[in-house]
Amino acid sequence: MNRLFESILKNRWLVLLATMLFFFPAIYGLKFFEMKTDYRYYFKQDDPKLLALNRMDETYNESDTVLVLLAPKNGNVFTNKTLAQVSAMTEEFWNIPYSTRVDSLSNFQHTKAVEDTLYVDSLITDSSELDSYSIEEIRKIALGEEELVGRLISESGHVTAIAINIRLPGEEITETTEVIRAVQEIKSQYLAQNPETEIYLTGMLMGNQAGLDTIFNDNVTLVPLMGFAIIALLTMLYKSAWATLATVTILIFSLVTAFGIGAWLGLFMSSPSSSSPIVILTIAVADCVHVFITFFFALGKGLEKQDAILESLNLNWKPVAITSLTTAVGFLSLNFSEIPPFHTLGNQVAIGVTIACIASLTLLPILISWFPFKQRGEENSGEVSFMIPFAQNVVKNRKIYFVTVSALSIILSFYLTRLEINDQFVKFFDESVEFRYSTDFADRNLSSVYDMKFSLSCGQESCIYEPEYLLQVEKFAEWLRSHPEVVQVQAVTDTFKRLNRSMNGDLEEFYRVPQDRELASQYFLLYELSLPYGLDANHQVSFDKSESKILVSLKEQTTNEMLSIEKEFVTWMDDNLEDVEHFRSGVMLVFSHVGVENARSMIYGTAIALTVMSLIIGLSLTSFRLGLVSLVANMVPAVMAFGVWGLLVGQVGMAVAIAVGMTLGIVVDNAVHLLTKYSHAFENNGGEPDKSIEYAFSHVGVALLVCNSVLIAGFLILAQSSFSLNSHMAYFAATTFVLALIVDFLLLPPVLFWVDRALKR
């Protein structure tokens, strides 16, 4: 390896040329870089849950939704001005991009019969001619309709909603943004005209856009701020602007090359994989810091510049390579995840850390040889001298430190029992985000974005008109309405009951499903023929009339609550519905399943990765005992971090799953560098564990402090994000780095001392 490094420095121009021949095609590959925003990319193409979701969409012309809520400050929707505003906004929303259907109080298809003629018309036909009598009639009808209350009007009539169905072509990344901007423009226009009415925007499409906006905001504010903080701290700790410039060059080279190669390979960016640049940056910083700290230490001993470079490379190439390999293995374990964007995250980071490793051992020494680093005197090497008495103190008081840290880890491990695999989509955003406060308002006053959709099939064309089938559907709908978590239920039987009542003189005793198949068929045919364009009945029944949909709106739920409710609903259906086949879906439902399955598979993948990492470390250091010791050093910080999380938060979800893979690289990096230096000293110092510990701390202790301090500061900045996937990930990462330092500095040395002293005896 020494000859290889000498050859690199001797043929630096040739190496640089080869690097550029690799770098420029990678830059060109960035033109193929894609950002995916459709939540369907979170599922494998053959995932049964995605297939059920697609089947529901195809059967009932399902689409994404934007829900616009209007809340008059006087607490009454049923005024001339507010109803006129609802009517006008409904017409405007038909014209926004990709709009396929708009539902509101104004265009609700109210039915009435005059003798044998059925009339179907909008609830509000002309908002400019509403008198007090008409408004009272509208209020009475609206608050008496099961299809409206809890969906488009609150029970007390103080909040109303307009539901906009959007079907995106999926051809351009800007489609969601285009829709949301159009909706927000209309909102701003009507707020200016009607300041006494508050307007809130929610729905899944708003949630998608909120995720995009917060990630974009973080990438243009917090991530650069994190980068500047890292650069400033490195400059202060290096005491050299040239060293910082060289490090930044390696960071940029690693990121650009990794993403260029990823683009060539078809890897795409999404919300979960958006943290990959931070992970690559983290490992690249660690690689550079170790090379530079050892280089400066060698200069301080009086070595010439080239000799100092070679000494740093000889001492660091193995731990840098091991760290990169183990980090790559750790992130490749994300391929165990149930979420494809996690595969992209793992594969992208594996490429990035590999490139960072190669660059730090080839391009970095060339930059160091070119940049004007001056030889440092002995007095400048004193910056690491404090590590020797620190190491001596740890060895001398090893029992105290061992017991203290062990007790702390045991206490924190008890809080692991408080952890539950759980997530809450809306809580991904803090209350400063429009989607969050609008959804919270909707959940308190009308309905939330949480729902389940059930398709009930009777197996034959036009069989939904059978009285037996309609009674089964009505039975299920009524049971659902009795459930405390259910806000509103929409079923086709509501339409049949309304039609039956209208055709029988609007008598309430006829508000029931028709008892005759032919009658039900004729009613529904008349109803469909009377509907205006864009408001057909296909959102309730299949085209061949062999199945119908029940939409269940729920109060805001966590992942586990959602799955528990689903289990209860399905159990009831299996026990009570005869001769009715059913399947279920819903965006929040499938995400709940995937979130839990993903967390479990991530735990499995992480356990495998830790085992493989320890084997790699043991084989690389040709020491079974050091492999076992590394397993302790790698696992204990993770256990302690989860304990802290259990104490303070209590839930683990997607953010923590990302953070585990991210922090694993640095945790392993700390242990590998300490164990490598320790192993080197142990073999060359007659097997004296105390002297070997002193050597390891003197040669790598400062580098670990610098690296972890820089990263902790950077992640604490990122933790200020309004997006919990980023903020929770950052807090968990910073916590893990702090605990990893405690374990490596206070627990690992006593373990090494006792193990090797016993072996020596």
Side-chain angles (χ1 to χ4, degrees), residues 30-36 41 173 263 266-270:
L30 291 175
K31 69 177 291 186
F32 306 114
F33 181 79
E34 288 186 277
M35 180 78 181
K36 304 288 189 182
Y41 286 104
I173 188 177
L267 302 181
F268 60 85
M269 182 72 78
S270 61

Side-chain angles (χ1 to χ4, degrees), residues 664-675:
L664 209 52
I666 293 300
V667 171
V668 170
D669 178 83
N670 293 350
V672 165
H673 278 279
L674 272 172
L675 291 174

Side-chain angles (χ1 to χ4, degrees), residues 5-43:
F5 294 134
E6 287 178 344
S7 177
I8 289 171
L9 293 175
K10 182 179 179 180
N11 301 286
R12 56 182 70 115
W13 285 107
L14 189 61
V15 173
L16 186 63
L17 176 62
T19 302
M20 292 302 102
L21 289 175
F22 188 68
F23 181 64
F24 287 116
I27 291 180
Y28 183 77
L30 291 175
K31 69 177 291 186
F32 306 114
F33 181 79
E34 288 186 277
M35 180 78 181
K36 304 288 189 182
T37 59
D38 190 342
Y39 55 78
R40 285 173 173 80
Y41 286 104
Y42 280 69
F43 310 97

Side-chain angles (χ1 to χ4, degrees), residues 72-139:
K73 293 180 180 177
N74 64 5
N76 182 20
V77 166
F78 299 102
T79 64
N80 205 316
K81 193 168 187 178
T82 301
L83 293 177
Q85 182 179 355
V86 171
S87 297
M89 292 182 73
T90 300
E91 292 301 317
E92 292 262 18
F93 287 137
W94 275 105
N95 299 318
I96 67 172
Y98 317 117
S99 172
T100 60
R101 182 185 178 104
V102 181
D103 289 301
S104 71
L105 284 181
S106 68
N107 67 359
F108 173 70
Q109 297 304 292
H110 175 56
T111 62
K112 63 179 179 179
V114 178
E115 297 182 351
D116 291 334
T117 304
L118 178 70
Y119 292 93
V120 181
D121 204 355
S122 297
L123 183 59
I124 303 173
T125 53
D126 188 351
S127 59
S128 63
E129 297 183 0
L130 292 178
D131 54 26
S132 58
Y133 175 78
S134 300
I135 291 174
E136 180 58 26
E137 281 296 302
I138 291 169
R139 187 192 70 80

Side-chain angles (χ1 to χ4, degrees), residues 739-757:
L739 294 171
L741 278 179
I742 293 173
V743 170
D744 290 328
F745 279 20
L746 302 179
L747 184 65
L748 187 57
V751 172
L752 286 171
F753 183 88
W754 286 324
V755 168
D756 282 343
R757 189 174 66 173

Side-chain angles (χ1 to χ4, degrees), residues 235-543:
T235 304
M236 182 177 67
L237 295 167
Y238 279 156
K239 299 179 182 177
S240 168
W242 289 109
T244 303
L245 177 60
T247 300
V248 171
T249 302
I250 298 301
L251 300 184
I252 294 172
F253 175 84
S254 301
L255 287 172
V256 172
T257 306
F259 280 95
I261 293 173
W264 277 111
L265 296 176
L267 302 181
F268 60 85
M269 182 72 78
S270 61
S271 295
S273 59
S274 64
S275 58
S276 54
I278 300 172
V279 187
I280 296 170
L281 180 147
T282 299
I283 300 301
V285 166
D287 292 344
C288 294
V289 165
H290 286 295
V291 171
F292 265 117
I293 294 296
T294 309
F295 167 70
F296 289 140
F297 184 64
L299 284 182
K301 293 193 300 183
L303 292 182
E304 294 295 330
K305 184 178 181 181
Q306 180 147 328
D307 292 333
I309 294 172
L310 290 172
E311 177 166 318
S312 178
L313 292 174
N314 282 315
L315 283 173
N316 286 295
W317 77 264
K318 183 180 285 189
V320 166
I322 294 172
T323 297
S324 300
L325 178 59
T326 52
T327 302
V329 168
F331 273 91
L332 288 174
S333 71
L334 292 179
N335 284 283
F336 285 100
S337 169
E338 295 295 320
I339 302 179
F342 274 26
H343 305 173
T344 300
L345 172 63
N347 297 332
Q348 187 71 75
V349 171
I351 294 170
V353 298
T354 302
I355 292 170
C357 171
I358 296 170
S360 63
L361 297 177
T362 55
L363 184 58
L364 183 59
I366 292 174
L367 293 176
I368 296 174
S369 69
W370 279 339
F371 289 170
F373 292 105
K374 296 180 181 180
Q375 189 175 31
R376 299 188 176 190
E378 288 289 341
E379 67 278 3
N380 291 319
S381 66
E383 60 190 17
V384 298
S385 62
F386 77 93
M387 295 305 301
I388 294 176
F390 175 79
Q392 291 171 341
N393 179 268
V394 171
V395 172
K396 179 181 178 182
N397 300 290
R398 54 189 175 275
K399 291 183 180 179
I400 296 174
Y401 289 122
F402 178 83
V403 170
T404 302
V405 178
S406 297
L408 178 62
S409 63
I410 291 170
I411 291 170
L412 289 175
S413 68
F414 285 120
Y415 289 99
L416 292 175
T417 58
R418 295 183 57 180
L419 285 172
E420 62 173 343
I421 298 173
N422 213 350
D423 258 329
Q424 202 160 354
F425 175 71
V426 174
K427 298 298 188 290
F428 280 178
F429 308 92
D430 70 24
E431 294 178 357
S432 66
V433 177
E434 181 182 18
F435 170 70
R436 167 67 186 278
Y437 68 72
S438 293
T439 305
D440 286 347
F441 177 85
D443 188 56
R444 292 193 304 270
N445 296 278
L446 200 57
S447 64
S448 71
V449 296
Y450 289 81
D451 60 38
M452 287 187 199
K453 299 167 186 175
F454 296 88
S455 183
L456 307 182
S457 172
C458 44
Q460 297 177 358
E461 185 174 341
S462 300
C463 62
I464 67 165
Y465 303 126
E466 295 289 347
E468 294 81 5
Y469 172 80
L470 292 175
L471 288 172
Q472 294 272 58
V473 174
E474 177 66 5
K475 181 181 177 182
F476 183 41
E478 288 303 312
W479 180 81
L480 288 170
R481 291 187 176 108
S482 67
H483 198 283
E485 299 303 322
V486 171
V487 176
Q488 200 248 6
V489 177
Q490 293 179 56
V492 71
T493 51
D494 300 330
T495 302
F496 278 106
K497 289 189 295 183
R498 187 155 48 90
L499 292 170
N500 195 40
R501 180 178 60 187
S502 297
M503 295 300 290
N504 286 277
D506 285 329
L507 296 175
E508 284 300 320
E509 63 190 271
F510 287 95
Y511 189 66
R512 60 176 186 264
V513 296
Q515 303 300 305
D516 180 81
R517 185 187 192 283
E518 291 302 320
L519 198 60
S521 175
Q522 290 175 20
Y523 285 172
F524 204 75
L525 178 60
L526 285 172
Y527 173 71
E528 285 191 291
L529 291 174
S530 304
L531 291 173
Y533 177 78
L535 293 177
D536 57 52
N538 194 222
H539 71 294
Q540 287 185 308
V541 298
S542 63
F543 181 77

